Amino acid sequence: MSGLIQVLIGGLADGGVYALIALGVSLVYSISRIINLAQGGFVVLAALLAVSIQQWLGVPPLVTVVIVVPLFALLMAVVERLVMAPAAARATPDRMLLVTVGLLQAIGGLLLLVWGNLPYTMQPFSGDTAITIGGVRIVSQYLWIIGALVVTVAALWFLVQRTSLGLTMRATASNPEAAALQGINVGRVRLIAFSLAGAMAALAGTTVIPATFLQFSTVTPYAVAGFIAAVAGGLGSTAGAVVGGLVLGLLQGLFSRYTSGDLAQVIAMAVLIVLLLVRPTGLLGKTSEVRR
Amino acid sequence: MTTQEQTTPAIAARPQARRGRSPQRLVVAAVAVVVALVLPLLVPGWLGLLVIAGIFFLIVLGLNLLMGYAGQVSLGQTLFMAIGGYGAGLLTLRWHWPTLVAMIVMAVVSAAVAAGLGTVFLRLRGYYLALATLGLAVITESLASGLTGFTGGPSGLVGVPSLRLGTFDVFSDQANYYLLLVVCGLGAWFVGNLQRSQTGRALSAIAADPAAATMLGINAARYKTSAFVVSAVYASLGGSLYAFYLRFISPEVVGVTVALSIVIMLALGGARTIVGPLLGALVIQGLPEVGQSFASWSPFVAGVVLILVITYLPRGIWGAIKKAVQR
């Protein structure tokens, strides 16, 4: 029994990372109707950058979060202006998906160029400590991952529901044209949404790298997992992204206890495809989102 | 008002008719055939690349029908590549079936799988279809490396025989090249004819506006599923030929990255044409061959090129070339 709980906790930690990716995908989608498949790629990029920064500067791993998160908020704003905005002005939504596939490919290529094809990891934030509750060992880094998720969700909720910027974001999400007519600078709101997604990607990358090994080829699994979590939860829904991510992580963890990791992946995908066919709005999405 | 309604279809039909059998097009086609025939003698060192590009040309041609004409995004064509590749590999390796029979049987199996999946999956629209088919691609790669006893796991299936036609072994690069020339020629001819037929116009109508197409009496579900089945057969044949050529197949050959790169080839070259898929396959497969030092740059460059092409050349490289020539 404790073995099962152990596996589920590992799954939950993975799911926390998927949820962070899905939150970024979902936020960008709700403001701009762009599904950014490259979000998972930015996570790996942030993670490997954190490893290098940690090595160059010799700072404690936790400090890299403070450096990489603002850096990626800026980077994603640049990406929005250089890549997304010109493309979105010309391409249909279906083709925008291919633009983000190109972006994902470019990120993977960049990782291969700069970091080579070796896997990287980093020291955990609070050392190799672990908490043991009733025979279940919880690696301290898992708590950092879940903590990062909780902080992100709380901050996002506060921003969207309690600030005037959040109000303009909600207005843009529900109807961009009407928002523009009200005097909202829709382009600026989109820039902010991408920037926030960049910060989330960096937070996910820097907190997960001490708990795992990442390399250029891990961009695709992360991108796919984040994309699937966002859609399974319901695109545009914050709670949906979190639930989608955690459920995906738990499913993978649960099945990997009874079968190999590969077959666990198959079952998790099959469950999600069935979910999609039976309830295409996702777990917590609204029907109006799908009919668009 | 009535005259306008009558003239509009006439104008629309004219370029269609001109495209059919003009002398210039026949000359261009003849030159292309001659070049294709003598190419192995001109660039013998590039034959391996041309064979791989040919295989992907075939797969992308099939996807062109589904994505280009019917407007349905599929990121999961590797499923059918895997059925064709692993199926043919296993049948010939374990049960010593004749290679050609194995290839055809697996194409039929792929068609059946696509017909079954298509009726369910193609009800999904846009992003949701893309997501579900991406799920198929993930499942394909995971099954290929997970079913160790069956597929040989991550290290793959080794020792697949070459394709045997009668008493002739299609073993050398040159033999594979000419085989692919014939297969791709037939494949392109089929898609080209389909594009100009009533079916092609029905598919385009579905892509443009499914509701309007249904009102015109087009059974959208049936057409979309047929396009999916044909694309699956192309991918399956491509997968089988790939396995026979490499004499090997592994999860990497049918990975998610490959699934994405098939879509990239189509978008890059230009959908809704025959030359576009060929250009896309040549560019993506050719990039790593440009130079030793360039090989590590090629994934990055491919990504950047895709972004630029989608943003600035909506009809792909070939579409842009055609536009420039017509001007």
Side-chain angles (χ1 to χ4, degrees):
Chain A
M1 188 60 199
S2 69
L4 177 66
I5 293 171
Q6 189 82 60
V7 166
L8 289 182
I9 285 171
L12 210 57
D14 283 343
V17 180
Y18 300 157
L20 275 170
I21 303 172
L23 274 174
V25 173
S26 200
L27 176 67
V28 163
Y29 175 80
S30 67
I31 300 290
S32 67
R33 302 280 168 252
I34 295 169
I35 289 199
N36 183 14
L37 199 60
Q39 183 76 10
F42 284 105
V43 170
V44 182
L45 184 62
L48 296 199
L49 194 64
V51 172
S52 292
I53 287 175
Q54 199 269 326
Q55 282 167 356
W56 289 333
L57 302 179
V59 291
L62 190 55
V63 176
T64 59
V65 179
V66 188
I67 302 170
V68 177
V69 168
L71 199 64
F72 267 64
L74 191 66
L75 173 73
M76 201 66 130
V78 173
V79 167
E80 200 275 336
R81 275 293 127 96
L82 279 186
V83 178
M84 296 298 185
R90 295 171 176 88
T92 58
D94 277 8
R95 293 174 64 80
M96 272 313 290
L97 187 68
L98 293 179
V99 170
T100 65
V101 167
L103 195 56
L104 181 69
Q105 171 97 7
I107 293 170
L110 186 69
L111 290 171
L112 183 64
L113 273 176
V114 179
W115 282 274
N117 56 4
L118 296 172
Y120 288 83
T121 187
M122 190 164 70
Q123 277 291 310
F125 290 172
S126 42
D128 281 321
T129 52
I131 305 162
T132 312
I133 305 168
V136 182
R137 190 170 172 276
I138 304 172
V139 182
S140 63
Q141 193 62 34
Y142 288 175
L143 299 176
W144 283 102
I145 293 173
I146 297 301
L149 178 62
V150 170
V151 167
T152 306
V153 171
L156 196 61
W157 177 84
F158 183 80
L159 173 72
V160 171
Q161 302 295 335
R162 287 287 180 272
T163 65
S164 61
L165 174 61
L167 192 64
T168 59
M169 286 173 75
R170 276 185 286 157
T172 312
S174 71
N175 190 335
E177 287 84 16
L181 288 174
Q182 299 284 324
I184 292 172
N185 185 343
V186 175
R188 199 175 66 103
V189 174
R190 282 173 62 146
L191 194 65
I192 291 168
F194 269 95
S195 189
L196 287 172
M200 288 179 203
L203 193 62
T206 45
T207 49
V208 75
I209 183 79
T212 183
F213 288 89
L214 296 179
Q215 65 194 88
F216 81 99
S217 58
T218 40
V219 294
T220 313
Y222 270 118
V224 169
F227 180 30
I228 282 168
V231 180
L235 275 169
S237 153
T238 304
V242 175
V243 172
L246 293 180
V247 167
L248 180 61
L250 280 176
L251 280 177
Q252 284 181 351
L254 188 63
F255 290 128
S256 65
R257 179 168 161 75
Y258 301 105
T259 60
S260 73
D262 284 321
L263 296 184
Q265 178 88 325
V266 172
I267 300 166
M269 282 305 138
V271 168
L272 283 158
I273 288 176
V274 169
L275 173 75
L276 209 61
L277 291 169
V278 178
R279 192 174 158 71
T281 51
L283 290 168
L284 300 173
K286 298 185 199 78
T287 317
S288 59
E289 292 284 313
V290 184
R291 299 236 171 97
R292 230 174 251 279
Chain B
M1 192 65 209
T2 40
T3 48
Q4 201 173 12
E5 270 171 8
Q6 278 163 353
T7 48
T8 318
I11 291 165
R14 209 182 297 148
Q16 204 76 15
R18 193 178 54 191
R19 198 184 289 170
R21 302 260 186 281
S22 81
Q24 288 132 313
R25 284 187 69 87
L26 281 178
V27 171
V28 171
V31 170
V33 168
V34 171
V35 168
L37 282 175
V38 298
L39 206 55
L41 307 172
L42 299 174
V43 283
W46 291 57
L47 267 185
L49 164 69
L50 290 174
V51 170
I52 303 283
I55 288 165
F56 277 97
F57 173 42
L58 190 65
I59 298 166
V60 177
L61 261 182
L63 183 65
N64 191 12
L65 207 58
L66 182 69
M67 227 174 108
Y69 296 110
Q72 309 296 312
V73 178
S74 166
L75 300 172
Q77 292 306 103
T78 44
L79 171 65
F80 306 110
M81 273 180 80
I83 293 176
Y86 274 105
L90 284 169
L91 285 180
T92 50
L93 208 59
R94 302 267 161 87
W95 292 284
H96 306 287
W97 282 37
T99 47
L100 193 61
V101 176
M103 185 164 100
I104 291 165
V105 165
M106 289 332 287
V108 173
V109 170
S110 290
V113 171
L117 288 177
T119 48
V120 183
F121 273 58
L122 292 170
R123 286 190 308 198
L124 297 168
R125 262 186 268 158
Y127 284 148
Y128 293 87
L129 179 64
L131 171 76
T133 52
L134 184 60
L136 283 184
V138 175
I139 286 178
T140 303
E141 186 175 2
S142 302
L143 276 183
S145 73
L147 295 174
T148 328
F150 198 56
T151 61
S155 50
L157 203 62
V158 187
V160 177
S162 299
L163 183 66
R164 206 175 163 79
L165 296 173
T167 55
F168 180 70
D169 255 331
V170 186
F171 179 81
S172 67
D173 282 0
Q174 200 164 357
N176 271 289
Y177 175 82
Y178 284 113
L179 171 75
L180 275 159
L181 205 58
V182 173
V183 175
C184 289
L186 288 174
W189 177 74
F190 181 72
V191 171
N193 272 343
L194 209 61
Q195 159 195 352
R196 284 190 285 272
S197 71
Q198 189 267 337
T199 310
R201 287 192 290 274
L203 290 175
S204 297
I206 292 164
D209 190 337
T214 312
M215 291 228 289
L216 292 170
I218 295 167
N219 186 344
R222 204 171 58 90
Y223 274 105
K224 284 195 284 188
T225 307
S226 315
F228 192 47
V229 167
V230 175
S231 81
V233 170
Y234 274 63
S236 176
L237 291 176
S240 297
L241 290 171
Y242 206 3
F244 289 142
Y245 171 67
L246 295 173
R247 291 182 289 283
F248 161 78
I249 186 159
S250 73
E252 220 168 278
V253 175
V254 292
V256 177
T257 316
V258 177
L260 295 181
S261 77
I262 292 169
V263 180
I264 291 178
M265 286 175 203
L266 181 60
L268 200 62
R272 305 177 68 87
T273 61
I274 303 294
V275 186
L278 178 62
L279 273 180
L282 279 172
V283 168
I284 292 295
Q285 293 299 328
L287 267 183
E289 311 287 326
V290 170
Q292 197 75 50
S293 58
F294 189 75
S296 57
W297 278 86
S298 68
F300 177 72
V301 172
V304 173
V305 168
L306 178 67
I307 293 172
L308 292 176
V309 165
I310 299 257
T311 306
Y312 299 103
L313 310 173
R315 298 221 157 265
I317 297 173
W318 182 239
I321 294 175
K322 267 207 306 203
K323 208 172 160 190
V325 168
Q326 274 167 7
R327 211 181 271 165

